[in-house]
Amino acid sequence: MSLFSFLKRSKQTSPDIGHLKTDIHSHLIPAIDDGVQSIEESLEILREMEALGYQKVITTPHTMSGSYDNTPDIIYGGLEKVKEAVKQEGINLAIEAATEYYLDESFVSKIENDEQLMTFGQNYVLVETSFLNVPPLLKDVSFQLTLKGYKMVFAHPERYLYLINNERLVEELLDRNIIFQLNAVALTGCYSKPVQKFAERLIDMKAPKLVGTDCHNMGHIDLLKQATGTKYWKKLMDLDLLNNSL
């Protein structure tokens, strides 16, 4: 391999993550959701994330009634195992955990019963919804979370088909101070071309305040690297993002 080819390859495999510092959406606790299934997978991904320039990873396993019935004890127990393995491997990353709540009746009950929710940053709560239909309780849940002192983080809004052609709802959610969290890999078109175009439109609107990898496996790391080469990456990095304050 020539020196030129080596340098070109090195440039491609060491993209600029910019000033993000912290990833706030991933599934890196083994065998508790649809993310990694072994500690070895976790470590492989975390090594890559360290190499990309991340300083902290806040991993967020699913909490979804009937599918992933995770509790704080389960998640924090798994987190400690990951942290111990990271320490032993000499990976220089801070590792924390929250969860990605699915907006369903079970989540509503947690709010109504004043259960302590898993948060990160300034009382941020990561919430996802159905991809197809507008959740009837979406606005009420955002209001209730605010009343309880939480700040709702809307996981990957670019993926919700009910939002793509509903600019009025997008504006209404933003007016409610809901924090939009974009999946960086959406910029590659990996979900679909309409999702990519909507992600770009949200960036043009300066809507995203957080960026996440939503990393489930090494394939997402490869997509993240591709995303840094897209025309909208710099526009995304130029936004007033909250990642580096966490």
Side-chain angles (χ1 to χ4, degrees), residues 183-213:
N183 279 2
V185 299
L187 298 177
T188 68
C190 64
Y191 300 120
S192 72
K193 186 59 69 172
V195 169
Q196 178 186 354
K197 293 301 181 184
F198 186 38
E200 293 172 352
R201 198 159 88 240
L202 289 173
I203 292 171
D204 285 334
M205 294 171 63
K206 296 181 170 53
K209 295 299 181 186
L210 287 167
V211 180
T213 62

Tab-separated table of all heavy atoms in Angstrom, residues 183-213:
chain	number	residue	atom	x	y	z
A	183	ASN	N	-30.779	11.211	15.338
A	183	ASN	CA	-29.822	10.132	15.127
A	183	ASN	C	-28.888	10.527	13.992
A	183	ASN	O	-29.335	10.721	12.858
A	183	ASN	CB	-30.533	8.835	14.755
A	183	ASN	CG	-31.092	8.096	15.950
A	183	ASN	OD1	-30.994	8.563	17.087
A	183	ASN	ND2	-31.684	6.946	15.701
A	184	ALA	N	-27.604	10.638	14.279
A	184	ALA	CA	-26.640	11.062	13.255
A	184	ALA	C	-26.662	10.159	12.039
A	184	ALA	O	-26.527	10.619	10.896
A	184	ALA	CB	-25.244	11.104	13.863
A	185	VAL	N	-26.859	8.860	12.258
A	185	VAL	CA	-26.808	7.911	11.136
A	185	VAL	C	-27.939	8.119	10.140
A	185	VAL	O	-27.857	7.642	9.006
A	185	VAL	CB	-26.801	6.447	11.641
A	185	VAL	CG1	-25.577	6.180	12.498
A	185	VAL	CG2	-28.078	6.113	12.399
A	186	ALA	N	-28.991	8.843	10.537
A	186	ALA	CA	-30.096	9.117	9.607
A	186	ALA	C	-29.615	9.876	8.384
A	186	ALA	O	-30.226	9.800	7.310
A	186	ALA	CB	-31.195	9.900	10.313
A	187	LEU	N	-28.499	10.605	8.520
A	187	LEU	CA	-27.978	11.407	7.412
A	187	LEU	C	-27.424	10.549	6.281
A	187	LEU	O	-27.158	11.049	5.197
A	187	LEU	CB	-26.901	12.373	7.915
A	187	LEU	CG	-27.366	13.408	8.936
A	187	LEU	CD1	-26.192	14.259	9.404
A	187	LEU	CD2	-28.468	14.287	8.354
A	188	THR	N	-27.229	9.255	6.544
A	188	THR	CA	-26.714	8.355	5.513
A	188	THR	C	-27.819	7.777	4.640
A	188	THR	O	-27.522	7.130	3.631
A	188	THR	CB	-25.942	7.179	6.136
A	188	THR	OG1	-26.865	6.331	6.846
A	188	THR	CG2	-24.862	7.667	7.086
A	189	GLY	N	-29.086	7.969	5.025
A	189	GLY	CA	-30.181	7.338	4.305
A	189	GLY	C	-30.417	5.902	4.717
A	189	GLY	O	-31.174	5.179	4.060
A	190	CYS	N	-29.810	5.462	5.832
A	190	CYS	CA	-29.916	4.061	6.239
A	190	CYS	C	-31.334	3.650	6.632
A	190	CYS	O	-31.697	2.485	6.517
A	190	CYS	CB	-28.947	3.763	7.379
A	190	CYS	SG	-29.276	4.672	8.908
A	191	TYR	N	-32.119	4.603	7.117
A	191	TYR	CA	-33.500	4.278	7.475
A	191	TYR	C	-34.394	4.338	6.243
A	191	TYR	O	-35.241	3.480	6.038
A	191	TYR	CB	-34.020	5.232	8.550
A	191	TYR	CG	-33.243	5.200	9.837
A	191	TYR	CD1	-32.601	6.336	10.328
A	191	TYR	CD2	-33.141	4.031	10.590
A	191	TYR	CE1	-31.890	6.316	11.518
A	191	TYR	CE2	-32.431	4.005	11.785
A	191	TYR	CZ	-31.798	5.151	12.233
A	191	TYR	OH	-31.098	5.125	13.411
A	192	SER	N	-34.214	5.354	5.439
A	192	SER	CA	-34.910	5.545	4.166
A	192	SER	C	-34.550	6.932	3.655
A	192	SER	O	-34.093	7.790	4.420
A	192	SER	CB	-36.434	5.427	4.314
A	192	SER	OG	-36.965	6.563	4.983
A	193	LYS	N	-34.773	7.160	2.387
A	193	LYS	CA	-34.506	8.479	1.819
A	193	LYS	C	-35.427	9.548	2.412
A	193	LYS	O	-34.959	10.654	2.734
A	193	LYS	CB	-34.646	8.441	0.297
A	193	LYS	CG	-34.233	9.736	-0.405
A	193	LYS	CD	-32.781	10.103	-0.131
A	193	LYS	CE	-31.820	9.152	-0.786
A	193	LYS	NZ	-30.400	9.619	-0.685
A	194	PRO	N	-36.747	9.277	2.583
A	194	PRO	CA	-37.601	10.294	3.222
A	194	PRO	C	-37.143	10.661	4.627
A	194	PRO	O	-37.211	11.831	5.015
A	194	PRO	CB	-38.985	9.641	3.230
A	194	PRO	CG	-38.961	8.675	2.089
A	194	PRO	CD	-37.556	8.144	2.072
A	195	VAL	N	-36.680	9.676	5.405
A	195	VAL	CA	-36.181	9.962	6.753
A	195	VAL	C	-34.936	10.837	6.674
A	195	VAL	O	-34.775	11.795	7.443
A	195	VAL	CB	-35.905	8.656	7.523
A	195	VAL	CG1	-35.125	8.939	8.810
A	195	VAL	CG2	-37.202	7.935	7.846
A	196	GLN	N	-34.054	10.530	5.737
A	196	GLN	CA	-32.854	11.359	5.557
A	196	GLN	C	-33.229	12.797	5.224
A	196	GLN	O	-32.686	13.747	5.799
A	196	GLN	CB	-31.978	10.785	4.442
A	196	GLN	CG	-30.731	11.625	4.167
A	196	GLN	CD	-29.946	11.123	2.961
A	196	GLN	OE1	-30.252	10.074	2.382
A	196	GLN	NE2	-28.935	11.866	2.564
A	197	LYS	N	-34.146	12.972	4.288
A	197	LYS	CA	-34.544	14.321	3.877
A	197	LYS	C	-35.207	15.072	5.024
A	197	LYS	O	-35.026	16.292	5.180
A	197	LYS	CB	-35.484	14.252	2.666
A	197	LYS	CG	-34.818	13.750	1.395
A	197	LYS	CD	-33.658	14.647	1.001
A	197	LYS	CE	-32.978	14.189	-0.268
A	197	LYS	NZ	-31.775	15.022	-0.582
A	198	PHE	N	-35.982	14.357	5.849
A	198	PHE	CA	-36.626	14.998	6.990
A	198	PHE	C	-35.585	15.396	8.038
A	198	PHE	O	-35.667	16.476	8.638
A	198	PHE	CB	-37.677	14.074	7.599
A	198	PHE	CG	-38.500	14.690	8.692
A	198	PHE	CD1	-38.923	16.023	8.625
A	198	PHE	CD2	-38.875	13.951	9.800
A	198	PHE	CE1	-39.685	16.589	9.642
A	198	PHE	CE2	-39.636	14.506	10.816
A	198	PHE	CZ	-40.033	15.827	10.737
A	199	ALA	N	-34.590	14.521	8.234
A	199	ALA	CA	-33.499	14.863	9.160
A	199	ALA	C	-32.802	16.133	8.699
A	199	ALA	O	-32.492	17.029	9.504
A	199	ALA	CB	-32.505	13.712	9.245
A	200	GLU	N	-32.558	16.246	7.414
A	200	GLU	CA	-31.913	17.434	6.867
A	200	GLU	C	-32.791	18.666	7.044
A	200	GLU	O	-32.312	19.760	7.361
A	200	GLU	CB	-31.589	17.207	5.391
A	200	GLU	CG	-30.528	16.139	5.169
A	200	GLU	CD	-30.326	15.755	3.709
A	200	GLU	OE1	-31.129	16.213	2.849
A	200	GLU	OE2	-29.388	14.996	3.412
A	201	ARG	N	-34.097	18.468	6.869
A	201	ARG	CA	-35.019	19.598	7.048
A	201	ARG	C	-35.032	20.070	8.503
A	201	ARG	O	-35.069	21.276	8.779
A	201	ARG	CB	-36.433	19.201	6.599
A	201	ARG	CG	-37.359	20.381	6.329
A	201	ARG	CD	-38.509	20.007	5.435
A	201	ARG	NE	-39.648	19.492	6.169
A	201	ARG	CZ	-40.171	18.282	6.005
A	201	ARG	NH1	-39.639	17.444	5.140
A	201	ARG	NH2	-41.222	17.895	6.701
A	202	LEU	N	-34.995	19.130	9.435
A	202	LEU	CA	-34.946	19.494	10.855
A	202	LEU	C	-33.676	20.270	11.169
A	202	LEU	O	-33.695	21.227	11.951
A	202	LEU	CB	-35.040	18.240	11.723
A	202	LEU	CG	-36.405	17.537	11.754
A	202	LEU	CD1	-36.297	16.217	12.509
A	202	LEU	CD2	-37.474	18.422	12.388
A	203	ILE	N	-32.575	19.862	10.555
A	203	ILE	CA	-31.319	20.595	10.759
A	203	ILE	C	-31.431	22.003	10.197
A	203	ILE	O	-30.993	22.979	10.823
A	203	ILE	CB	-30.151	19.831	10.111
A	203	ILE	CG1	-29.898	18.522	10.874
A	203	ILE	CG2	-28.876	20.684	10.095
A	203	ILE	CD1	-28.929	17.580	10.203
A	204	ASP	N	-32.037	22.129	9.017
A	204	ASP	CA	-32.237	23.464	8.437
A	204	ASP	C	-33.101	24.336	9.345
A	204	ASP	O	-32.928	25.565	9.397
A	204	ASP	CB	-32.889	23.357	7.055
A	204	ASP	CG	-31.914	22.887	5.970
A	204	ASP	OD1	-30.699	23.113	6.130
A	204	ASP	OD2	-32.375	22.293	4.974
A	205	MET	N	-34.023	23.702	10.076
A	205	MET	CA	-34.874	24.420	11.024
A	205	MET	C	-34.155	24.702	12.340
A	205	MET	O	-34.714	25.364	13.213
A	205	MET	CB	-36.135	23.593	11.326
A	205	MET	CG	-37.082	23.393	10.159
A	205	MET	SD	-38.395	22.192	10.574
A	205	MET	CE	-39.225	23.065	11.924
A	206	LYS	N	-32.935	24.156	12.482
A	206	LYS	CA	-32.181	24.246	13.738
A	206	LYS	C	-32.928	23.596	14.903
A	206	LYS	O	-32.830	24.023	16.053
A	206	LYS	CB	-31.841	25.704	14.074
A	206	LYS	CG	-30.920	26.375	13.054
A	206	LYS	CD	-30.604	27.808	13.449
A	206	LYS	CE	-29.498	28.417	12.592
A	206	LYS	NZ	-29.717	28.331	11.151
A	207	ALA	N	-33.686	22.546	14.584
A	207	ALA	CA	-34.506	21.881	15.595
A	207	ALA	C	-33.719	20.974	16.537
A	207	ALA	O	-33.972	20.985	17.748
A	207	ALA	CB	-35.622	21.090	14.920
A	208	PRO	N	-32.759	20.172	16.047
A	208	PRO	CA	-32.078	19.251	16.970
A	208	PRO	C	-31.218	19.988	17.996
A	208	PRO	O	-30.472	20.896	17.661
A	208	PRO	CB	-31.191	18.408	16.036
A	208	PRO	CG	-31.793	18.560	14.680
A	208	PRO	CD	-32.354	19.943	14.655
A	209	LYS	N	-31.335	19.555	19.247
A	209	LYS	CA	-30.496	20.089	20.326
A	209	LYS	C	-29.563	19.022	20.895
A	209	LYS	O	-28.637	19.332	21.641
A	209	LYS	CB	-31.367	20.654	21.448
A	209	LYS	CG	-32.200	21.857	21.034
A	209	LYS	CD	-31.326	23.023	20.592
A	209	LYS	CE	-32.133	24.232	20.192
A	209	LYS	NZ	-31.276	25.311	19.637
A	210	LEU	N	-29.847	17.764	20.562
A	210	LEU	CA	-28.991	16.656	20.960
A	210	LEU	C	-28.790	15.739	19.757
A	210	LEU	O	-29.688	15.596	18.921
A	210	LEU	CB	-29.605	15.867	22.107
A	210	LEU	CG	-29.588	16.523	23.498
A	210	LEU	CD1	-30.505	15.786	24.457
A	210	LEU	CD2	-28.164	16.564	24.061
A	211	VAL	N	-27.624	15.112	19.696
A	211	VAL	CA	-27.315	14.151	18.646
A	211	VAL	C	-26.909	12.845	19.305
A	211	VAL	O	-26.136	12.847	20.271
A	211	VAL	CB	-26.172	14.650	17.743
A	211	VAL	CG1	-25.862	13.622	16.659
A	211	VAL	CG2	-26.522	15.983	17.119
A	212	GLY	N	-27.443	11.743	18.800
A	212	GLY	CA	-27.088	10.433	19.334
A	212	GLY	C	-26.699	9.477	18.234
A	212	GLY	O	-27.036	9.686	17.065
A	213	THR	N	-25.992	8.414	18.619
A	213	THR	CA	-25.655	7.375	17.653
A	213	THR	C	-26.773	6.345	17.529
A	213	THR	O	-26.907	5.716	16.487
A	213	THR	CB	-24.375	6.632	18.078
A	213	THR	OG1	-24.603	5.994	19.344
A	213	THR	CG2	-23.197	7.582	18.180
